[in-house]
Amino acid sequence: MTRIAARFEDLKAEGKKAFIAYIMAGDPDLETSFEIMRGLPEAGVDIIELGVPFTDPMADGPTIQLAGQRALESGQTLQKTLQMVRRFRESDTSTPVVLMGYYNPIYNRGVDRFLADAQEAGVDGLIVVDLPPEEDMELCLPARAAGLDFIRLATPTTDEARLPVVVRNTSGFVYYVSITGITGSAEAQPQVVAPDVARIKSASGLPVIVGFGIKTPESAQAIARVADGAVVGSAIVHEIAQGKPAADVLRFVKNLADGAHLA
């Protein structure tokens, strides 16, 4: 059983929903982002999504685009991101870590080398937003063979014909993008999300986590009530962008996590 599957089993046994937090590796610098990452489990985060900065983040809104730019300017690389995970594992062997980003840095490194390094570092799963299911041979299937979960995005436009293709080789959980558009845009609406969550859960047999448009403890709680959990990225990255100390960012995260866990 992967760490991700084990975490969902534990949450189910506790009658709790999952809270997932996204931060950009290296934003605003390596040490600050690592300090935040290290504090996320104590703040109530069940799974960490760690962004890999890339020069052309086409699925991301301005908040995360700027986070990636800050990270790249501070010298963050895929190698340093893997080192962050390795360092995190020195004190935490149970919290799942998912790398989220784009295929180009992985392709540049070489798929086989990347997967071996990611597994050795302690990465549990991948979200690669620009590789469609038609390209599963590129990374998805090799990742699964290497013991890493490959997490897919489903959206409001993923219809009945497309959904089986999207979830066919998905593992870990399905990330439901609750709104059309880029990250950090409109607010997610539980009454709109609920039917799609049920439809995706039925098709995949996996936990369905809802992200995009969740900015407050109240919205995290409302969304988690109709899903298996909530993921927050842009709102957390916005706090980091304000130059707040790690302790303040983690307090903000804890409030969001508390909201999701009350669902």
Side-chain angles (χ1 to χ4, degrees):
M1 182 179 290
T2 65
R3 264 188 285 249
I4 293 173
R7 179 54 51 96
F8 280 110
E9 286 290 322
D10 290 345
L11 289 166
K12 186 176 180 181
E14 296 169 18
K16 291 170 66 176
K17 301 297 182 73
F19 180 71
I20 301 177
Y22 170 97
I23 62 168
M24 178 68 73
D27 175 36
D29 57 70
L30 180 59
E31 286 307 313
T32 302
S33 65
F34 180 73
E35 185 181 356
I36 293 168
M37 181 186 184
R38 186 170 53 189
L40 290 175
E42 191 175 342
V45 173
D46 299 300
I47 298 173
I48 297 169
E49 280 184 15
L50 189 61
V52 180
F54 179 52
T55 53
D56 189 21
M58 59 188 180
D60 295 312
T63 300
I64 291 179
Q65 284 189 20
L66 289 170
Q69 190 174 357
R70 289 191 298 270
L72 290 169
E73 288 172 354
S74 76
Q76 190 69 14
T77 62
L78 176 57
Q79 177 66 20
K80 289 181 179 179
T81 302
L82 291 170
Q83 288 171 350
M84 273 183 72
V85 180
R86 191 176 293 110
R87 189 175 166 197
F88 177 79
R89 287 285 173 235
E90 292 174 3
S91 58
D92 188 314
T93 59
S94 60
T95 303
V97 175
V98 174
L99 295 187
M100 185 171 186
Y102 298 85
Y103 186 45
N104 185 277
I106 296 170
Y107 178 80
N108 237 11
R109 191 178 187 85
V111 167
D112 291 344
R113 179 187 173 198
F114 166 75
L115 291 175
D117 291 347
Q119 186 183 44
E120 186 272 332
V123 173
D124 300 290
L126 305 173
I127 301 174
V128 182
V129 300
D130 56 346
L131 272 184
E134 288 77 13
E135 304 294 335
D136 275 356
M137 291 297 294
E138 284 283 325
L139 182 63
C140 172
L141 295 180
R144 295 284 307 273
L148 300 179
D149 283 317
F150 200 88
I151 296 142
R152 288 256 184 235
L153 305 181
T155 74
T157 60
T158 307
D159 61 21
E160 296 301 325
R162 183 65 175 165
L163 184 57
V165 179
V166 169
V167 302
R168 181 176 56 218
N169 292 317
T170 300
S171 62
F173 60 91
V174 180
Y175 186 138
Y176 180 62
V177 178
S178 61
I179 53 177
T180 55
I182 54 174
T183 59
S185 45
E187 189 168 332
Q189 300 298 324
Q191 68 274 17
V192 176
V193 166
D196 276 337
V197 168
R199 179 171 65 92
I200 295 163
K201 195 172 176 69
S202 175
S204 67
L206 294 169
V208 178
I209 303 298
V210 175
F212 286 45
I214 302 170
K215 303 172 183 176
T216 65
E218 293 75 21
S219 59
Q221 181 180 7
I223 288 296
R225 281 184 180 141
V226 300
D228 294 296
V231 54
V232 178
S234 293
I236 297 170
V237 171
H238 176 75
E239 295 293 303
I240 296 169
Q242 302 307 300
K244 295 184 179 180
D248 289 354
V249 174
L250 292 168
R251 272 192 289 273
F252 177 77
V253 172
K254 186 177 187 308
N255 287 335
L256 292 166
D258 288 348
H261 289 149
L262 284 172

